[in-house]
Amino acid sequence: MDIRFAHIILSFCLMIFVSNPVWSQENRDYHLAPDDELSVDVFDEPDLSLDNVRVSSTGTISMPLLGQIKVDGLTVTELEKKIHDLYLGDYLKKPNISVSITTYRQFYVDGEVNKPGGYSYREGLTVQRAIALAGGFTERAARNKISIVKESTGQTINAVEMSYRVSPGDVITVSESFF
Protein backbone atom coordinates (compact mmCIF):
# COMPACT_ATOMS: atom_id res chain seq x y z
CA MET A 1 0.00 0.00 0.00
CA ASP A 2 2.82 2.44 0.86
CA ILE A 3 4.61 1.68 -2.41
CA ARG A 4 1.41 2.32 -4.34
CA PHE A 5 0.96 5.71 -2.61
CA ALA A 6 4.60 6.63 -3.29
CA HIS A 7 4.11 5.66 -6.94
CA ILE A 8 1.05 7.93 -7.23
CA ILE A 9 2.92 10.87 -5.65
CA LEU A 10 5.94 10.28 -7.89
CA SER A 11 3.71 10.09 -10.99
CA PHE A 12 1.96 13.33 -10.02
CA CYS A 13 5.29 15.14 -9.48
CA LEU A 14 6.62 13.85 -12.78
CA MET A 15 3.47 15.02 -14.57
CA ILE A 16 3.93 18.54 -13.16
CA PHE A 17 7.64 18.55 -14.00
CA VAL A 18 7.05 17.40 -17.58
CA SER A 19 4.14 19.76 -18.28
CA ASN A 20 5.83 22.83 -16.76
CA PRO A 21 8.62 23.42 -19.35
CA VAL A 22 6.13 24.61 -21.99
CA TRP A 23 5.15 27.51 -19.77
CA SER A 24 8.69 27.96 -18.50
CA GLN A 25 10.09 28.25 -22.03
CA GLU A 26 7.51 30.90 -22.93
CA ASN A 27 8.27 32.76 -19.69
CA ARG A 28 12.05 32.43 -20.13
CA ASP A 29 11.97 34.14 -23.54
CA TYR A 30 9.75 37.00 -22.34
CA HIS A 31 11.48 40.41 -22.25
CA LEU A 32 10.53 42.83 -19.51
CA ALA A 33 9.25 46.31 -20.34
CA PRO A 34 7.54 49.26 -18.65
CA ASP A 35 4.28 48.42 -16.84
CA ASP A 36 5.23 44.80 -16.11
CA GLU A 37 4.89 44.07 -12.40
CA LEU A 38 7.50 41.93 -10.65
CA SER A 39 8.26 40.28 -7.35
CA VAL A 40 11.91 39.95 -6.40
CA ASP A 41 12.79 37.51 -3.64
CA VAL A 42 16.22 37.68 -2.06
CA PHE A 43 16.35 34.42 -0.10
CA ASP A 44 16.73 34.93 3.68
CA GLU A 45 16.78 38.73 3.18
CA PRO A 46 13.18 39.99 3.50
CA ASP A 47 14.35 43.62 3.74
CA LEU A 48 15.92 43.33 0.28
CA SER A 49 12.93 41.57 -1.32
CA LEU A 50 10.17 43.36 -3.26
CA ASP A 51 6.52 42.45 -3.80
CA ASN A 52 4.60 43.74 -6.81
CA VAL A 53 6.99 46.41 -8.05
CA ARG A 54 6.04 47.98 -11.39
CA VAL A 55 8.69 48.59 -14.06
CA SER A 56 8.78 52.37 -14.53
CA SER A 57 8.27 54.19 -17.82
CA THR A 58 12.08 54.52 -17.99
CA GLY A 59 12.44 50.71 -17.73
CA THR A 60 13.85 50.60 -14.19
CA ILE A 61 12.98 49.28 -10.75
CA SER A 62 14.33 50.51 -7.42
CA MET A 63 16.11 47.84 -5.36
CA PRO A 64 17.10 48.27 -1.70
CA LEU A 65 20.80 49.22 -1.36
CA LEU A 66 21.23 49.22 -5.16
CA GLY A 67 18.92 52.05 -6.19
CA GLN A 68 17.52 52.22 -9.73
CA ILE A 69 18.49 49.31 -11.97
CA LYS A 70 17.64 48.99 -15.66
CA VAL A 71 15.43 45.96 -16.40
CA ASP A 72 13.90 46.95 -19.76
CA GLY A 73 14.65 44.30 -22.39
CA LEU A 74 15.96 41.70 -19.92
CA THR A 75 14.49 38.24 -19.43
CA VAL A 76 13.63 37.06 -15.92
CA THR A 77 16.75 34.88 -15.90
CA GLU A 78 18.96 37.79 -17.00
CA LEU A 79 17.46 40.02 -14.31
CA GLU A 80 18.05 37.37 -11.62
CA LYS A 81 21.71 37.19 -12.65
CA LYS A 82 22.05 40.99 -12.77
CA ILE A 83 20.64 41.42 -9.26
CA HIS A 84 22.75 38.51 -8.02
CA ASP A 85 25.93 40.10 -9.40
CA LEU A 86 25.06 43.53 -7.95
CA TYR A 87 24.48 42.15 -4.43
CA LEU A 88 27.44 39.74 -4.56
CA GLY A 89 30.49 40.82 -2.59
CA ASP A 90 29.68 44.25 -1.15
CA TYR A 91 26.30 43.27 0.33
CA LEU A 92 25.86 39.49 0.37
CA LYS A 93 28.18 36.48 0.22
CA LYS A 94 25.86 34.09 -1.63
CA PRO A 95 22.79 35.93 -2.86
CA ASN A 96 19.97 33.67 -4.01
CA ILE A 97 17.62 35.71 -6.21
CA SER A 98 14.24 34.73 -7.61
CA VAL A 99 12.25 37.03 -9.91
CA SER A 100 8.69 36.38 -11.01
CA ILE A 101 6.26 38.34 -13.14
CA THR A 102 3.13 39.02 -11.10
CA THR A 103 1.29 41.08 -13.75
CA TYR A 104 2.12 41.42 -17.44
CA ARG A 105 1.71 44.74 -19.25
CA GLN A 106 -1.51 45.20 -21.21
CA PHE A 107 -2.23 44.32 -24.82
CA TYR A 108 -4.57 46.48 -26.90
CA VAL A 109 -7.49 45.85 -29.23
CA ASP A 110 -8.85 48.56 -31.50
CA GLY A 111 -10.98 48.98 -34.57
CA GLU A 112 -14.27 47.19 -35.11
CA VAL A 113 -14.76 45.60 -31.69
CA ASN A 114 -17.46 46.49 -29.16
CA LYS A 115 -15.08 47.61 -26.39
CA PRO A 116 -11.73 48.79 -27.81
CA GLY A 117 -8.99 49.41 -25.26
CA GLY A 118 -6.23 47.87 -23.16
CA TYR A 119 -6.66 44.53 -21.44
CA SER A 120 -4.67 42.48 -18.96
CA TYR A 121 -2.54 39.82 -20.62
CA ARG A 122 -3.07 36.16 -19.76
CA GLU A 123 -0.83 33.20 -20.56
CA GLY A 124 -1.77 31.47 -23.81
CA LEU A 125 -3.81 34.40 -25.13
CA THR A 126 -4.90 34.17 -28.80
CA VAL A 127 -6.41 36.77 -31.14
CA GLN A 128 -9.80 35.08 -30.78
CA ARG A 129 -9.71 35.32 -26.98
CA ALA A 130 -8.46 38.92 -27.13
CA ILE A 131 -11.38 39.91 -29.36
CA ALA A 132 -13.78 38.13 -27.00
CA LEU A 133 -12.35 40.15 -24.10
CA ALA A 134 -12.97 43.30 -26.18
CA GLY A 135 -16.68 42.44 -26.47
CA GLY A 136 -16.53 40.67 -29.81
CA PHE A 137 -16.83 42.00 -33.36
CA THR A 138 -19.09 44.89 -34.34
CA GLU A 139 -21.54 44.44 -37.24
CA ARG A 140 -19.09 46.23 -39.56
CA ALA A 141 -16.04 44.14 -38.64
CA ALA A 142 -14.02 42.49 -41.39
CA ARG A 143 -13.37 39.19 -39.65
CA ASN A 144 -10.68 38.23 -42.18
CA LYS A 145 -8.82 41.58 -41.95
CA ILE A 146 -7.20 41.49 -38.54
CA SER A 147 -3.68 42.81 -38.11
CA ILE A 148 -1.34 42.83 -35.15
CA VAL A 149 1.62 45.07 -34.34
CA LYS A 150 4.14 43.07 -32.30
CA GLU A 151 5.59 45.26 -29.55
CA SER A 152 8.73 43.12 -29.37
CA THR A 153 9.72 43.80 -33.00
CA GLY A 154 7.51 46.68 -34.15
CA GLN A 155 6.51 44.46 -37.07
CA THR A 156 2.96 44.61 -38.44
CA ILE A 157 1.48 41.25 -39.36
CA ASN A 158 -1.56 41.43 -41.62
CA ALA A 159 -4.37 38.87 -41.95
CA VAL A 160 -3.57 36.99 -38.75
CA GLU A 161 -5.45 33.82 -37.90
CA MET A 162 -7.76 33.72 -34.88
CA SER A 163 -5.40 31.19 -33.26
CA TYR A 164 -2.39 33.54 -33.52
CA ARG A 165 -0.64 34.04 -30.15
CA VAL A 166 -0.80 37.51 -28.59
CA SER A 167 1.98 38.89 -26.38
CA PRO A 168 1.92 41.68 -23.81
CA GLY A 169 2.10 45.10 -25.47
CA ASP A 170 0.79 43.89 -28.83
CA VAL A 171 -1.85 45.95 -30.65
CA ILE A 172 -4.62 44.08 -32.50
CA THR A 173 -6.62 46.00 -35.08
CA VAL A 174 -9.87 44.74 -36.58
CA SER A 175 -10.56 46.49 -39.92
CA GLU A 176 -13.93 47.69 -41.17
CA SER A 177 -15.76 45.67 -43.80
CA PHE A 178 -17.12 47.47 -46.85
CA PHE A 179 -20.14 45.17 -47.10
Side-chain angles (χ1 to χ4, degrees):
M1 186 70 156
D2 291 331
I3 293 173
R4 190 183 243 180
F5 181 73
H7 180 69
I8 291 170
I9 296 296
L10 182 62
S11 297
F12 179 73
C13 292
L14 184 60
M15 180 179 72
I16 290 172
F17 179 74
V18 169
S19 64
N20 199 20
V22 174
W23 181 84
S24 297
Q25 181 63 40
E26 189 175 304
N27 194 31
R28 238 181 286 145
D29 295 338
Y30 179 76
H31 292 272
L32 300 170
D35 289 333
D36 284 330
E37 196 170 281
L38 312 172
S39 286
V40 180
D41 183 43
V42 182
F43 186 68
D44 278 345
E45 297 292 340
D47 293 341
L48 301 180
S49 297
L50 300 172
D51 285 327
N52 302 323
V53 61
R54 189 167 299 281
V55 178
S56 73
S57 60
T58 59
T60 63
I61 61 171
S62 181
M63 289 294 300
L65 302 176
L66 302 176
Q68 296 292 319
I69 62 169
K70 186 85 166 161
V71 302
D72 189 19
L74 298 178
T75 64
V76 168
T77 304
E78 292 169 339
L79 179 56
E80 287 172 343
K81 180 168 178 14
K82 182 175 186 172
I83 295 171
H84 172 272
D85 293 348
L86 290 169
Y87 277 131
L88 185 64
D90 292 340
Y91 301 109
L92 300 171
K93 290 184 181 188
K94 291 183 180 180
N96 186 356
I97 312 298
S98 175
V99 175
S100 60
I101 302 167
T102 54
T103 306
Y104 292 93
R105 59 191 176 276
Q106 291 187 327
F107 69 93
Y108 303 90
V109 183
D110 89 23
E112 295 301 318
V113 291
N114 288 308
K115 295 185 274 179
Y119 293 90
S120 297
Y121 175 78
R122 298 175 177 119
E123 290 287 332
L125 189 70
T126 62
V127 169
Q128 181 176 14
R129 290 179 180 163
I131 290 170
L133 286 171
F137 293 110
T138 65
E139 289 180 15
R140 294 179 293 178
R143 295 171 188 244
N144 60 347
K145 288 190 178 179
I146 302 169
S147 63
I148 189 166
V149 177
K150 300 298 289 177
E151 183 191 56
S152 59
T153 62
Q155 175 186 16
T156 300
I157 303 168
N158 294 308
V160 295
E161 298 290 324
M162 295 296 271
S163 60
Y164 189 86
R165 296 283 267 206
V166 176
S167 299
D170 288 355
V171 179
I172 301 165
T173 302
V174 178
S175 297
E176 182 178 4
S177 173
F178 293 108
F179 299 103

